């Protein structure tokens, strides 16, 4: 059986490739908007961000906590923009996963220690009151795990796409 030019890999139909591209784009834009929505309100709210950092009750020198409070909004915004526009995806995905991993560890330790804190996350309760659970340490931990999984899915799909393109080039 002959392969048509629409196949990117002998076992992957062009529909699969299109679905991968759609999934990558939708997840990338979703994550990008979340990061922008998390970072923008923190601009100019350094003291509030600093208070949130201290509420996690982790041992940090004051200078480091203050540096994080100043830099965090810009890191979140940079990641958000890079995700939205699909820029530097390997680096962007590593940065996204790294930030989400740190957030997951912080919220998980707050949840485990039963700290009654606001995670400093996006408040989704305006959409529906039940979504306020996502601002609790437990809800934020579970949400971050889902976001990490989505980040991993994008990395997997991009890798699969790149591997398929490379194999196609070799099959010429």
């Amino acid at each position: 059986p002959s392969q048509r030019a629409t196949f990117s890999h002998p076992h992957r139909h062009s529909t699969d490739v299109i679905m991968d591209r759609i999934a990558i784009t939708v997840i990338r834009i979703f994550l990008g908007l979340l990061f922008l929505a998390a970072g923008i309100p923190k601009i100019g709210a350094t003291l509030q961000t600093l208070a949130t950092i201290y509420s996690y009750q982790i041992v940090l020198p004051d200078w480091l906590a203050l540096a994080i409070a100043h830099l965090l909004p810009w890191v979140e915004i940079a990641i958000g923009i890079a995700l939205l526009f699909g820029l530097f995806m390997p680096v962007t995905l590593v940065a996204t996963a790294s930030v989400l991993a740190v957030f997951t560890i912080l919220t998980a330790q707050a949840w485990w220690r039963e700290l009654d804190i606001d995670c400093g996350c996006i408040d989704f309760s305006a959409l529906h009151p039940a979504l306020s659970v996502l601002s609790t340490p437990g809800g934020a931990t579970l949400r971050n795990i889902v976001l990490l999984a989505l980040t991993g899915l994008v990395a997997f799909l991009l890798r699969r796409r790149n591997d398929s393109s490379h194999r196609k080039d070799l099959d010429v």
Side-chain angles (χ1 to χ4, degrees):
S2 66
Q3 291 181 355
R4 296 183 314 165
T6 57
F7 283 76
S8 64
H9 184 268
H11 303 292
R12 296 209 55 218
H13 192 271
S14 62
T15 306
D16 296 335
V17 173
I18 292 168
M19 292 306 293
D20 283 0
R21 285 183 183 158
I22 291 170
I24 290 166
T25 302
V26 168
I27 295 168
R28 191 174 47 73
I29 290 171
F30 172 72
L31 290 170
L33 290 173
L34 279 179
F35 269 85
L36 284 175
I40 290 171
K42 290 181 182 110
I43 296 173
T46 304
L47 292 180
Q48 182 179 354
T49 304
L50 186 61
T52 300
I53 292 168
Y54 283 134
S55 73
Y56 281 91
Q57 299 179 19
I58 55 173
V59 179
L60 284 178
D62 289 338
W63 66 267
L64 182 56
L66 187 59
I68 293 168
H70 279 291
L71 292 174
L72 183 59
W74 302 108
V75 169
E76 289 175 328
I77 290 168
I79 289 172
I81 290 170
L83 285 166
L84 272 178
F85 293 102
L87 304 173
F88 318 110
M89 286 309 292
V91 172
T92 298
L93 290 173
V94 168
T96 303
S98 299
V99 168
L100 286 171
V102 169
F103 289 168
T104 303
I105 291 166
L106 288 172
T107 55
Q109 67 84 31
W111 185 19
W112 180 69
R113 294 170 57 203
E114 298 180 357
L115 299 178
D116 185 24
I117 62 170
D118 179 353
C119 69
C121 310
I122 302 168
D123 183 9
F124 290 103
S125 64
L127 298 173
H128 191 280
L131 294 177
S132 65
V133 72
L134 295 176
S135 293
T136 66
T141 300
L142 297 176
R143 182 202 61 227
N144 290 338
I145 290 170
V146 169
L147 296 176
L148 269 168
L150 288 173
T151 303
L153 178 59
V154 170
F156 169 77
L157 293 174
L158 284 172
R159 176 75 185 249
R160 181 167 71 177
R161 184 178 78 184
N162 291 339
D163 286 350
S164 294
S165 296
H166 180 67
R167 279 192 290 269
K168 180 181 174 186
D169 292 342
L170 294 177
D171 290 340
V172 174

